[in-house]
Amino acid sequence: MTRAYSLLSGLFPQALAVNATLRKPGVAGTAPKGAVGRCEPIFRTLPGGTAVGKFASLGLACGLLAACAEQSTTPGAPGAAAPPVTAVTASHKVGVLLPMSGPNAALGRELLAGAQLALADNTAIQVDLHDTAAAGGAAAAATAAVQAGDGVLLGPLTSGDTVLAAPAGVGAGVPVLAFTSDVAQARPGVWVMGITPEDQVQRLVEQARHDGRQHFAALLPNTPLGKALGNGLQAACRDQGLGEPAIVYHGGTPASIADAMRQLSAYDARLAAARQTTQAPAAPTPVAPAVPLTGSANRAATLPPDLAVALNANGPQQPPTPSSAAPAETNVTLGNPPFDALLLGDTGLNLKTVITELNTAQVSLPAVRIMGPGLWSAFATKLGSIRGAWYAAPDPAWRQGFVSRFMAQHQHAPRPLADLSFDAASAVRAAAQGSSGVFARDVLTRPTGFPGVDGTFTLLPDGRVRRALGVFEVLGNGAEARMLSMPAPGSATSG
């Protein structure tokens, strides 16, 4: 089964309470907003609109790494006599910035285990652990690591902690590989290791462009996730030499979704053009009047076959009343909308409303390729009404080797967050050169990237990270989505 992956670790402060989510098998939960050491959420919504916490993974057990707790240290505040560090210290010491106390301690130990697994057989590299939940927080932890001579920093966990920790690393010329997915934290010297909305959209746009799509649009919720997807679409179109995409945000109500779809799809103009065509003089040969279709039969006759089947899956039904002020006409065949690829960002009940409005506006294949977030992988079997839609996510097969190694050592399956720390430590290991102990920045940003838990990843000079995500196609009829393609081995989508 395709798993719903991180996709958005540490992006925004919206999640369920940590006690509720941590008790669910396979769910790495998050603390409430404002909690000390808060672990930020991904935006995953299960069918029916239920939100779950960050990095939820289907079928993966969540456990604690008690053995790692014995290895944690509690750094004190920097001593007054400690001299400031202004240049990179030649060292094979790797500073690890994670919460080792407080509500996210178990998560911190899991990421520590991932990093240690990547460095297990390299005795030349020393792990220097600093607790971001201790007094002084992430800023004090990063400062202590730099003053201890650490040559590179892995972590911290969240976007907020990255804001606090990054200045110490940047000021000392020490690379920072943070585990957040907030692309706003990316800059030269600070890399965002999480799978971001931008990663997903870049991959989708690349695949759609190869499919011949040239005109992109997006109907997105006015939420942090929606904004991140919209920004990602703008960046992807710019990076790949395409025109500016048309993006409309909705407020989450049926009426706002309907109005946004009418605006984006140029529904009124298309309807007027279709009416003008149907008002042309009739052919001189009289024909017997046709019996008009009503109800769901009329709607099915004017919809693409896949959507008609979906609407009538439970027998004849009355078509839903449009939410917009002006009633939609279903007995007129409209021309194509002004785009040939459409990005959506909704899940749950709002996605159901969006699909209804897609039907009303006659937006479907083959004229328009529908695309969405990797969160759809959690319920792809239920998306038959948009059969042929795409989403981008890691290939689950890639992760199996890492899971086997982790389980052999720790007797439980790793949480997906551990993927990030393993990948970051693997890149650092490759960048550790010779007895000098210098972590070569040009190796960190090598164009060929690094083989990661979930596929190849590349650290770009501007702090972004590109991952080789697969593109999956929704099949419907209860079937799992199928993977259409992966980037060429050894490369990730360029940015």
Side-chain angles (χ1 to χ4, degrees), residues 92-96 119 125-128 150-152 154 428 439:
H92 270 168
K93 291 175 63 180
V94 175
V96 178
L119 302 173
I125 297 180
Q126 176 187 349
V127 174
D128 182 26
D150 296 346
V152 66
L154 304 186
V428 164
F439 292 98

Side-chain angles (χ1 to χ4, degrees), residues 384-476:
S385 54
I386 49 173
R387 185 174 58 208
W390 290 351
Y391 61 84
D395 178 1
W398 272 85
R399 195 170 188 258
Q400 295 312 305
F402 169 69
V403 171
S404 297
R405 290 181 59 193
F406 192 100
M407 290 185 67
Q409 184 166 342
H410 300 286
Q411 292 72 55
H412 72 269
R415 302 182 191 182
L417 272 174
D419 299 13
L420 303 183
S421 59
F422 183 93
D423 284 356
S426 297
V428 164
R429 174 176 174 157
Q433 292 188 341
S435 59
S436 67
V438 174
F439 292 98
R441 192 173 298 241
D442 60 338
V443 175
L444 286 176
T445 57
R446 66 189 187 190
T448 55
F450 305 90
V453 172
D454 300 289
T456 302
F457 66 96
T458 304
L459 278 61
L460 304 181
D462 62 3
R464 293 180 297 166
V465 177
R466 284 284 168 264
R467 292 183 177 271
L469 303 177
V471 174
F472 293 80
E473 181 179 27
V474 173
L475 298 180

Side-chain angles (χ1 to χ4, degrees), residues 132-221:
T132 57
T143 299
V146 169
Q147 291 183 341
D150 296 346
V152 66
L153 303 182
L154 304 186
L157 178 59
T158 67
S159 175
D161 278 354
T162 303
V163 171
L164 299 174
V170 172
V174 175
V176 178
L177 279 66
F179 302 133
T180 178
S181 289
D182 182 4
V183 73
Q185 302 308 318
R187 72 200 76 165
V190 180
W191 284 273
V192 171
M193 294 299 298
I195 298 180
T196 67
E198 185 186 41
D199 284 330
Q200 301 168 56
V201 176
Q202 283 276 359
R203 184 69 184 96
L204 288 170
V205 169
E206 177 189 47
Q207 185 69 29
R209 182 169 54 85
H210 291 164
D211 192 43
R213 311 289 168 166
Q214 294 292 319
H215 306 288
F216 288 76
L219 175 66
L220 301 168

